[in-house]
Amino acid sequence: MVSNWLRSIGIKETYIEKLHEEEVDGRILCELSEEYLKKETGMKSGPALLIIKKRDELVINSQKAKGQHDLLQKRSSGKNDLGASAIKSTDTRADINEENNKEEDSVLVIPTKRDSKLRPFDMKGVDFTYVKNSVLLPESGVNDLITPCHEYKSFAVAATLDRQRLQAKFAKEVLKFATGCINVRTNGTIHFGVMDSRGDTGYVHGEIIGVPVKEKDVYYDSFDYIERSFSSSDSEIVRLCIGEPQFVKVVCSNSNVEHYVVEVDIKPAVSIVKNNVFSVSLPNFNEKANKVQFEKKTAYRRVGSKTEPVADLNEFYQHMSFRNAQREEAEKTYNFTAPQLCQNL
């Protein structure tokens, strides 16, 4: 988050990486001096001065937002607080999450954030946009098999990794989710750049933050793991069920860096997946071995808003014909009720 903030104010990547190496988090950022930046990181006077100036502005804005929030709370309670003049300023050193992004301060004043519509399933990403800090509907489970279930990943840290680590992480999350959807015969979409944890201070579940995308081919090429993660007979089928990565641009008024929500649609047509249960060996980058290793083959299924391993594989196989029939019926109903294309008058 500190790195993203530094990028937003135009600091060079070399200085950002240096501060990241020095483990400068939010609390430390509040304590930095211009002298420290120049002496310990070798930073030039210009960027050092800019960081300190922007940091101080952020602290002041955070204090103002907190003050407004306290005032609104007192007014809404209808109580005349004689001790209002003694309200202490917020100690912003305790919470970098409010300092990293000015939009986050608005959550202190405005109780709810703007809701956002999801990109329609199977729609190209270039034909749609999201607004930063707006909120999508919560992650969802299996519905009618045609309406996609949704899974969110913030991917904020992974998006900054080198090519090999990023691809392994991206492929792992996509293939796990895809296997879970295919095995229960439901459409699904996994989103990268959307907050999935309810514990992140300043964010809400489903909030759109986006991730920086330098090279889109990194995401496309990560699907090469399909052949290494599935058996040769399964890999061809899985490829037919997984759509290409869609890059939905995130609109943000105060950022010079383009951010995207990367989305992958899963569509397991019954004619393709019928009579199959899929197991996957997920790729995982091992830091000690400094290479990608593959986990034990596991069959996954979608359970509620989560993707979990199949507990009883025999029982799961027994119910396969039922799931196939459900999917087939859902596809017939959807195709029958879909509006016919008419002549453009």
Side-chain angles (χ1 to χ4, degrees):
M1 293 180 74
V2 172
S3 296
N4 288 338
W5 177 76
L6 291 168
R7 289 188 189 96
S8 73
I9 64 172
I11 301 301
K12 287 183 178 179
E13 199 64 31
T14 51
Y15 294 143
I16 295 174
E17 290 174 359
K18 180 64 178 174
L19 291 171
H20 185 73
E21 289 173 6
E22 297 295 332
E23 298 183 2
V24 174
D25 62 7
R27 291 174 302 155
I28 296 172
L29 178 64
C30 289
E31 302 294 339
L32 290 182
S33 65
E34 185 180 345
E35 182 181 356
Y36 171 86
L37 290 171
K38 290 191 289 186
K39 184 178 179 181
E40 299 298 329
T41 67
M43 193 177 291
K44 299 291 185 181
S45 297
L49 182 63
L50 178 64
I51 289 173
I52 299 302
K53 182 175 180 293
K54 292 292 184 182
R55 188 272 317 273
D56 291 342
E57 288 177 3
L58 206 53
V59 170
I60 292 170
N61 287 332
S62 182
Q63 290 174 340
K64 285 181 179 178
K66 178 63 176 175
Q68 290 173 0
H69 176 58
D70 290 343
L71 186 60
L72 284 173
Q73 279 193 327
K74 290 183 181 299
R75 285 177 178 174
S76 63
S77 65
K79 294 178 181 178
N80 182 20
D81 188 355
L82 298 175
S85 60
I87 295 175
K88 295 182 179 179
S89 298
T90 306
D91 184 1
T92 53
R93 292 178 177 82
D95 192 356
I96 184 58
N97 290 321
E98 291 180 5
E99 297 174 4
N100 273 336
N101 195 319
K102 290 183 180 179
E103 288 99 346
E104 291 173 32
D105 294 335
S106 64
V107 77
L108 297 173
V109 182
I110 304 170
T112 58
K113 298 187 180 185
R114 175 183 170 184
D115 290 335
S116 176
K117 291 183 178 179
L118 289 155
R119 171 186 62 87
F121 188 74
D122 253 358
M123 181 183 185
K124 294 292 183 183
V126 293
D127 299 327
F128 200 78
T129 56
Y130 288 127
V131 177
K132 187 172 183 180
N133 299 119
S134 56
V135 181
L136 299 174
L137 290 172
E139 291 173 302
S140 57
V142 180
N143 188 357
D144 56 10
L145 303 182
I146 300 300
T147 303
C149 52
H150 296 274
E151 186 161 297
Y152 303 144
K153 301 292 178 185
S154 65
F155 216 59
V157 176
T160 64
L161 300 175
D162 60 59
R163 189 184 186 94
Q164 190 179 22
R165 288 175 172 82
L166 189 157
Q167 286 185 331
K169 179 67 174 173
F170 182 73
K172 179 181 179 179
E173 298 296 351
V174 170
L175 297 184
K176 180 180 178 180
F177 175 76
T179 305
C181 289
I182 294 170
N183 280 337
V184 297
R185 311 300 193 244
T186 182
N187 291 346
T189 303
I190 185 168
H191 311 252
F192 297 87
V194 180
M195 298 307 292
D196 58 332
S197 174
R198 295 167 179 79
D200 289 304
T201 307
Y203 290 114
V204 296
H205 180 73
E207 185 170 346
I208 297 167
I209 56 170
V211 292
V213 177
K214 295 179 182 178
E215 299 174 290
K216 293 181 180 179
D217 68 299
V218 173
Y219 292 86
Y220 282 97
D221 293 346
S222 66
F223 285 178
D224 292 343
Y225 277 107
I226 291 175
E227 278 71 30
R228 300 168 66 184
S229 298
F230 292 91
S231 64
S232 55
S233 58
D234 287 351
S235 61
E236 293 182 27
I237 299 173
V238 170
R239 269 197 180 273
L240 293 172
C241 298
I242 300 178
E244 292 183 340
Q246 299 298 324
F247 299 89
V248 185
K249 192 170 182 179
V250 176
V251 180
C252 180
S253 59
N254 63 348
S255 176
N256 297 324
V257 182
E258 284 194 347
H259 282 66
Y260 297 86
V261 172
V262 185
E263 301 181 339
V264 181
D265 291 334
I266 313 300
K267 191 176 182 180
V270 70
S271 59
I272 300 171
V273 302
K274 197 171 184 178
N275 301 326
N276 282 292
V277 173
F278 299 86
S279 295
V280 60
S281 296
L282 296 176
N284 194 16
F285 192 88
N286 188 310
E287 294 293 342
K288 289 184 178 179
N290 197 35
K291 65 178 181 180
V292 176
Q293 296 179 340
F294 290 84
E295 299 176 4
K296 182 182 177 182
K297 265 193 180 298
T298 306
Y300 290 92
R301 64 179 299 177
R302 192 74 181 163
V303 180
S305 60
K306 296 180 180 179
T307 305
E308 297 180 352
V310 174
D312 189 335
L313 205 53
N314 290 330
E315 183 183 354
F316 196 74
Y317 269 102
Q318 290 172 10
H319 289 84
M320 183 169 58
S321 58
F322 173 69
R323 289 192 296 274
N324 289 336
Q326 278 189 309
R327 175 73 191 194
E328 195 168 8
E329 183 63 29
E331 288 180 8
K332 285 180 181 178
T333 304
Y334 175 75
N335 292 330
F336 179 75
T337 56
Q340 297 294 318
L341 291 175
C342 60
Q343 184 180 359
N344 187 344
L345 301 179

